[in-house]
Amino acid sequence: MAQDIFISGVAMTPFGRHDQMPMQALAQDAVLRAVVDAGLGVQAPQAFYCANVYGGMILGQTLLRDLGLSGVPVYNVENACASGATGVHLARHALLAGIYDTVVVFGVEMLTKLGGGTIPLQRNDYKTEQYAAQGMTLPTVYAMRGTRYLAETGHSPSVLGEIAVKNRRHGTLNPYAQTRTAVTLDEVMGSRMVADPLTLLQCCPSAVDGAAAVVLTTRPPADGRPAVRIRASVVQSGRREEDGDDILDAEITARATRLAYEEAGLGPQDLGVIELHDAFTIGELLYYEAFGLCGRGEGPKLVKDGVTALGGRVPVNPSGGLLAKGHPLGATGVAQMVEVVWQLQGRAEGRQIDNPKVGMTQCTGGGIAGVDHAASAVHILSI
């Protein structure tokens, strides 16, 4: 039987505009509070994993330099939006290998420094210039999926808007969320069109800063809280697409999820809470299907029946998700785990789910020509 890996401490900063604050302050706040949450001193972890996309070279060492860690190994991880989750995946491998017994994984991003707008396209992709000339950005890619979904299923565009209403309502209950304002369906559908059928309130905010951190350890926690184990950790890369591939398939996420279920010995029926990558509303519907929560085209019924809302059978994005909480790329995958740990331990004040035992996080990242996504990371946690 494999060694148990526990998440013994978690923390995150509020997500929002922190453009007057240095990145060091954001990262150190999350790291120090996570270590304290684990009942440790900052000198106790034997290694640190820093997840980030746009911060530059040797970022982790720079951010931690003033904490007096004196030579501790620091690993820098970049895997687009899946960077934070990938950092957890790699750290878990080191713990399983017996290299360390306690490490910290933290993610941090300051997107306000980019000035807003869509995330820049991958510069070294050989088709970047061709795609950019055709107006191909992440919102347009997801808009094409949304258009295809509506055409195939016969649903009206309002089914996409309902996702935004749900997640933004959840965000009002989360003090760490960037956007804490409830919206009506009319407000969502009437907001500015970004890429038909996706309106502004169906897209996650692009100007957001934040940090999150988790402490991973092989030592069972002794603080009396429920011990949260990482039951499965899977990272997959996209496969080369062929002509005629189905853009609604979410193949990389379905594959990663299937492997995670196999590793954990669990299935979709066991999940009590999910934090998924809802950068655009259509993404959440497609991931319902990829997770096996429903059949093709049946996601809107889950939303309509309240199955994925707080109080439902399997609440999805109780944090508000990327749509409300925000999406500081390197921090997102770690922040998803922070929320699930809080939920499993009964610490999600104001939005606590009734007695969940198993939670899942999913984060995809990277748009490159010819694949579904560059990376997808799925983790299953349990008490």
Side-chain angles (χ1 to χ4, degrees):
M1 185 174 179
Q3 166 77 54
D4 277 333
I5 305 300
F6 302 92
I7 300 180
S8 62
V10 298
M12 63 180 288
T13 69
F15 283 5
R17 299 189 71 98
H18 297 290
D19 47 336
Q20 302 303 311
M21 178 184 293
M23 189 182 291
Q24 285 89 342
L26 275 179
Q28 290 179 19
D29 179 46
V31 167
L32 292 174
R33 288 195 293 114
V35 170
V36 169
D37 191 52
L40 303 173
V42 73
Q43 302 292 336
Q46 297 150 317
F48 290 80
Y49 292 74
C50 172
N52 178 267
V53 179
Y54 289 112
M57 194 164 55
I58 56 170
L59 182 67
Q61 288 88 337
T62 302
L63 298 178
L64 299 177
R65 175 182 54 201
D66 300 332
L67 295 182
L69 296 174
S70 186
V72 65
V74 177
Y75 302 92
N76 293 291
V77 181
E78 186 277 304
N79 211 11
C81 304
S83 295
T86 302
V88 172
H89 180 74
L90 295 174
R92 179 174 178 261
H93 275 298
L95 294 173
L96 289 172
I99 299 171
Y100 311 116
D101 59 46
T102 302
V103 301
V104 171
V105 181
F106 69 99
V108 62
E109 205 76 55
M110 296 197 74
L111 292 181
T112 54
K113 293 186 180 298
L114 299 181
T118 60
I119 296 171
L121 292 168
Q122 180 65 20
R123 299 301 181 191
N124 61 5
D125 187 342
Y126 71 100
K127 286 191 174 181
T128 288
E129 291 185 3
Q130 173 187 337
Y131 274 51
Q134 297 172 350
M136 191 70 72
T137 62
L138 285 175
T140 56
V141 169
Y142 278 92
M144 288 192 297
R145 290 176 176 144
T147 299
R148 179 69 173 271
Y149 187 87
L150 298 179
E152 285 198 5
T153 63
H155 290 299
S156 72
S158 64
V159 301
L160 303 176
E162 292 285 4
I163 297 289
V165 172
K166 172 182 72 73
N167 290 354
R168 290 176 183 274
R169 181 173 65 249
H170 290 176
T172 66
L173 305 173
N174 184 1
Y176 294 89
Q178 180 182 27
T179 303
R180 301 192 62 197
T181 304
V183 294
T184 66
L185 182 59
D186 286 344
E187 287 172 330
V188 171
M189 303 311 294
S191 61
R192 177 172 60 83
M193 186 63 69
V194 173
D196 192 13
L198 299 179
T199 60
L200 183 64
L201 292 178
Q202 297 183 55
C203 308
C204 67
S206 61
V208 57
D209 311 317
V214 295
V215 179
L216 272 56
T217 181
T218 58
R219 301 176 179 179
D223 57 10
R225 294 190 302 224
V228 177
R229 294 171 173 82
I230 301 179
R231 295 283 296 273
S233 175
V234 175
V235 174
Q236 293 284 286
S237 294
R239 289 174 175 163
R240 184 85 179 185
E241 293 178 328
E242 304 296 335
D243 290 343
D245 278 359
D246 186 355
I247 64 172
L248 301 183
D249 191 20
E251 186 277 330
I252 184 176
T253 293
R255 174 166 30 105
T257 303
R258 182 175 64 253
L259 292 171
Y261 288 153
E262 291 174 1
E263 183 178 342
L266 299 169
Q269 72 280 358
D270 299 303
L271 301 177
V273 58
I274 298 171
E275 283 283 312
L276 61 73
H277 190 101
D278 61 324
F280 304 93
T281 51
I282 180 59
E284 180 162 327
L285 289 181
L286 297 182
Y287 296 142
Y288 289 174
E289 297 176 12
F291 297 164
L293 297 179
C294 65
R296 180 133 178 165
E298 297 175 354
K301 188 175 188 312
L302 296 184
V303 180
K304 184 178 181 61
D305 293 347
V307 173
T308 58
L310 282 169
R313 177 173 56 81
V314 54
V316 173
N317 289 332
S319 70
L322 282 58
L323 287 170
K325 184 178 61 184
H327 183 25
L329 311 181
T332 290
V334 182
Q336 289 178 328
M337 293 186 195
V338 172
E339 177 68 20
V340 169
V341 169
W342 280 337
Q343 291 286 352
L344 294 178
Q345 293 183 330
R347 295 199 282 159
E349 297 182 7
R351 61 190 186 283
Q352 180 62 52
I353 295 165
D354 185 19
N355 202 31
K357 302 297 184 184
V358 179
M360 186 168 76
T361 67
Q362 172 265 342
C363 210
T364 57
I368 58 176
V371 300
D372 176 6
H373 280 92
S376 185
V378 175
H379 287 79
I380 296 178
L381 314 180
S382 73
I383 55 175

